[in-house]
């Protein structure tokens, strides 16, 4: 540290002596006739000394290794004593004097910035905060899933226990006799309507094959009437009859398809929707009886402090499942009522359509058959509409 201080004093003394010597020198004349003043030589020597000082300062900075952003050079590295610090203002002042730069401008050119080790804590804090937030969110999701699984496990255990108790005759169940009877009737009705639907679909397939056969037979008769002059009239009569039967058969097929579509909607959509609600109602009934049995068992036991807390929780769970059971029972009652009304209305229309269409077809009354379809707003597809177009076949 003392050596550094002496070096700075030595540099300032050398610079002052050179400046004073340069002021007393004569003006020489070179070989080219150019005049050089002593002041110019002095400035040139001062600039060379200043450049050597800058190189030496740079070497000292590279050896001691301070941060370039620091505003002072510390000999011996960071953490030295206060008297070992050489302010950069002294070096800047010396360079300003030698170069003619004002001290205020040299000071203004310096940029102070805190060292990197002071910025590190804030950067670490900003990086750790999102990680902590993500960890807390993941932990919250895990806790929520665990609570959901725990609640589902307890509910499943209680319902399974109640179901086995009812099956082996040891437990009691809540029964609504009127509602249970309506549910049984609905399930039996659905089975019968499914049987009607299967038979109607089979009739449609068989009748469609018959109509296709009649069409092929009519085309064959027509072709033979042109190639057999001796039987032209007979083949022609039969060809015309088969074509008429084929046309009436397509009309009857439209009526039967409409009948099948309506029965399918009634069975697989309307009735199935009501049965789904009934299934929810039965599950709610089982849960209600399970929590009711749990509450009755706790109420029959000892009444200590811990048991009273469990009884209070069981009472709340019982009330929740009771409300759910009563709400679904009301929904099932309403749906059964509307289903019965809808079933009567739909079946009345479809059975009348089916009867009139079949009777008109086999009676050979083409006008009555077409009038039946118009009466029930049945639209027939044009011939060949079921076949794909030539564009779709490509």
């Amino acid at each position: 540290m003392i050596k550094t201080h002496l070096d700075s004093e030595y540099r300032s003394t050398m610079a002052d002596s050179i400046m004073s010597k340069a002021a007393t020198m004569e003006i020489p004349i070179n070989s080219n006739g150019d005049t050089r003043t002593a002041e110019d030589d002095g400035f040139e020597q001062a600039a060379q000394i200043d450049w050597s000082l800058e190189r030496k300062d740079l070497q000292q900075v590279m050896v001691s290794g301070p941060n370039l952003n620091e505003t002072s050079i510390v000999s011996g590295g960071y953490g030295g004593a206060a008297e070992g610090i050489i302010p950069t203002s002294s070096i800047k002042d010396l360079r300003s004097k030698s170069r003619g730069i004002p001290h205020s401008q040299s000071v203004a050119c310096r940029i102070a910035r805190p060292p990197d080790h002071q910025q590190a804590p804030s950067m670490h804090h900003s990086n750790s905060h999102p990680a902590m937030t993500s960890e807390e969110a993941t932990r919250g999701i895990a806790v929520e899933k665990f609570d959901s699984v725990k609640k589902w496990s307890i509910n499943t255990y209680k319902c399974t226990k109640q179901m086995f108790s009812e099956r082996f005759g040891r437990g009691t169940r809540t029964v609504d006799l009127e509602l249970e009877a309506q549910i049984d009737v609905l399930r039996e009705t659905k089975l019968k309507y499914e049987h009607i639907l299967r038979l109607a679909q089979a009739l449609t397939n068989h009748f469609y094959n018959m109509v296709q056969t009649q069409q092929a037979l009519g085309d064959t008769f027509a072709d033979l009437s042109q190639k057999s002059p001796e039987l032209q009239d007979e083949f022609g009569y039969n060809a015309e009859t088969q074509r008429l039967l084929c046309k009436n058969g397509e009309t009857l097929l439209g009526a039967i398809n409409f009948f099948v579509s309506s029965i399918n909607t009634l069975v697989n959509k309307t009735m199935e929707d009501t049965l789904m609600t009934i299934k929810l109602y039965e599950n709610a009934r089982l849960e209600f009886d399970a929590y009711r049995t749990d509450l009755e068992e706790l109420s029959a036991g000892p009444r200590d402090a811990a048991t009273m807390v469990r009884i209070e929780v069981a009472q709340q769970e019982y009330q929740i499942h009771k409300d759910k059971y009563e709400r679904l029972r009301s929904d099932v009652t309403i749906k059964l009522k509307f289903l019965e009304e809808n079933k009567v209305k739909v079946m009345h229309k479809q059975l009348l359509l089916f009867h009139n269409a079949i009777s008109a077809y086999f009676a050979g009354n083409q006008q009555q058959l077409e009038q039946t379809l118009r009466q029930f707003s049945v639209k027939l597809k044009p011939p060949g509409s079921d076949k794909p177009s030539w564009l779709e076949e490509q």
Side-chain angles (χ1 to χ4, degrees), residues 102-113:
H103 176 67
S104 59
Q105 295 181 6
S106 63
V107 174
C109 293
R110 289 178 290 171
I111 301 175
R113 190 176 65 181

Side-chain angles (χ1 to χ4, degrees), residues 21-31 33-42:
K21 183 185 293 184
T24 58
M25 292 177 65
E26 296 180 356
I27 302 174
I29 301 175
N30 57 14
S31 59
D34 296 334
T35 61
R36 293 178 56 89
T37 62
E39 185 177 1
D40 292 337
D41 294 337

Side-chain angles (χ1 to χ4, degrees), residues 63-250:
V63 171
S64 60
N67 195 332
L68 294 178
N69 297 324
E70 297 288 332
T71 57
S72 61
I73 301 175
V74 182
S75 62
Y78 291 100
E83 60 271 10
I85 300 175
I86 302 176
T88 55
S89 59
S90 61
I91 299 176
K92 295 293 184 180
D93 294 341
L94 178 60
R95 295 173 185 174
S96 299
K97 289 179 182 179
S98 63
R99 296 175 182 177
I101 302 175
H103 176 67
S104 59
Q105 295 181 6
S106 63
V107 174
C109 293
R110 289 178 290 171
I111 301 175
R113 190 176 65 181
D116 294 339
H117 68 276
Q118 295 180 2
Q119 299 176 0
S122 62
M123 294 173 61
H124 177 73
H125 179 72
S126 61
N127 292 332
S128 62
H129 182 68
M132 292 176 62
T133 305
S134 177
E135 183 178 356
E136 292 176 356
T138 306
R139 188 180 306 165
I141 294 174
V143 170
E144 183 180 354
K145 289 185 177 180
F146 177 77
D147 293 341
S148 177
V149 171
K150 180 180 177 181
K151 185 177 180 181
W152 174 83
S153 302
I154 294 174
N155 186 70
T156 304
Y157 168 74
K158 291 181 181 295
C159 293
T160 305
K161 180 182 177 182
Q162 176 66 23
M163 183 178 61
F164 278 104
S165 298
E166 293 176 1
R167 183 163 298 181
F168 289 106
R170 292 194 299 266
T172 59
R173 55 172 296 181
T174 304
V175 179
D176 189 337
L177 295 177
E178 183 180 358
L179 187 60
E180 293 291 336
Q182 293 177 2
I183 292 173
D184 291 339
V185 170
L186 173 60
R187 285 174 174 158
E188 185 178 356
T189 304
K190 185 173 183 291
L191 291 175
K192 293 180 179 180
Y193 277 46
E194 286 176 347
H195 186 58
I196 292 175
L197 180 61
R198 287 192 297 269
L199 292 176
Q201 290 173 343
L203 176 63
T204 303
N205 293 330
H206 295 321
F207 196 76
Y208 174 78
N209 292 330
M210 188 184 74
V211 170
Q212 294 298 316
T213 304
Q214 288 175 342
Q215 184 177 2
L217 189 60
D219 294 340
T220 305
F221 285 159
D223 183 61
L224 288 174
S225 68
Q226 295 179 1
K227 295 181 179 180
S228 303
E230 65 280 4
L231 297 175
Q232 182 176 5
D233 295 337
E234 289 79 0
F235 279 125
Y237 295 151
N238 282 276
E240 189 65 26
T241 302
Q242 294 301 320
R243 287 176 180 175
L244 181 61
L245 289 174
C246 181
K247 181 179 179 181
N248 293 340
E250 291 177 352

Side-chain angles (χ1 to χ4, degrees), residues 199-200 203-204 207 210 248-249 251-257 259 350-366 368-370 372-373 376:
L199 292 176
L203 176 63
T204 303
F207 196 76
M210 188 184 74
N248 293 340
T251 306
L252 180 61
L253 273 175
I256 297 176
N257 285 328
F259 175 80
Q350 296 302 320
L351 290 174
L352 188 60
L353 167 67
F354 190 81
H355 173 268
N356 293 343
I358 293 290
S359 300
Y361 173 80
F362 284 100
N365 192 343
Q366 181 180 359
Q368 182 66 31
L369 181 60
E370 294 176 353
T372 300
L373 268 65
F376 293 97

